[in-house]
Amino acid sequence: MRTASRSFVGRLLTVFSLVAASLAPVGAAALAQPLSLQQSMDATHRGMQLQAQQDQLARQAVLQQNQLMVLEAQIRTQQAIADIQARSQTPRLPPPPSGTSPKLDTSQLASIPDSKLAESNARVKAAANNDR
C-alpha cells in the first residue's frame, strides 16, 4: 500500500512540476493571478498525458531490449550449433601426389617361412574336421 501511495505522490509531484514548468514562460505577473479551475485542469491533463507518453516510451524500450536479448541468444545458439557441426565433420585428406607411389622397404616387415604357414594351415584344417 505504501508503494502505491508513494508512486501516486511521485506522479502527482511530477505533474505539478510539469505544470509549473509549462507556466514558467507566462511570467511572474501571471503567476500572481490565481488559475481558473479550467486552466488548472488543462495543465493537470497535459501533465498526465506527458506522463502517459513517458510510460509508454519506457514500456517500448523494455520490449525492444527484450527483443534484442532474444535475437542475441538466437545468434549465440546458431553459432554454437555451427561450431559443433564443424567439429563433428571428418576433415578430408588431401589426395596423394600423382606420379610416384611411396616405396616400401620390405626388409622391415615381418616374414613367416612358407613351411611354417603350411603346418599352421594343416593344423587349422585338422581342428576344423574334428569338430564335425
Side-chain angles (χ1 to χ4, degrees):
M1 187 73 168
R2 286 184 179 182
T3 306
S5 64
R6 284 183 187 168
S7 175
F8 176 74
V9 170
R11 287 185 182 201
L12 192 58
L13 288 174
T14 302
V15 168
F16 285 131
S17 65
L18 292 172
V19 168
S22 68
L23 295 177
V26 174
L31 290 177
Q33 299 174 352
L35 293 177
S36 71
L37 181 59
Q38 183 63 41
Q39 290 173 330
S40 176
M41 289 180 69
D42 288 344
T44 303
H45 181 67
R46 282 193 306 271
M48 294 175 99
Q49 282 180 329
L50 181 60
Q51 183 65 40
Q53 288 174 348
Q54 290 173 344
D55 290 345
Q56 181 65 26
L57 290 173
R59 282 191 295 275
Q60 287 176 350
V62 168
L63 288 173
Q64 287 177 347
Q65 184 66 26
N66 289 344
Q67 289 173 344
L68 182 62
M69 291 173 67
V70 166
L71 291 174
E72 287 174 354
Q74 287 175 346
I75 289 171
R76 284 192 306 270
T77 301
Q78 290 172 352
Q79 184 63 44
I81 289 171
D83 290 345
I84 290 171
Q85 288 174 343
R87 288 185 204 142
S88 67
Q89 293 177 352
T90 305
R92 294 183 177 242
L93 296 175
S98 60
T100 63
S101 59
K103 299 192 187 243
L104 297 176
D105 183 13
T106 57
S107 66
Q108 301 284 330
L109 300 175
S111 64
I112 302 174
D114 289 338
S115 61
K116 293 286 184 184
L117 284 174
E119 289 175 14
S120 174
N121 191 27
R123 284 193 303 266
V124 169
K125 286 182 179 181
N129 289 333
N130 287 338
D131 287 341
R132 288 186 189 174

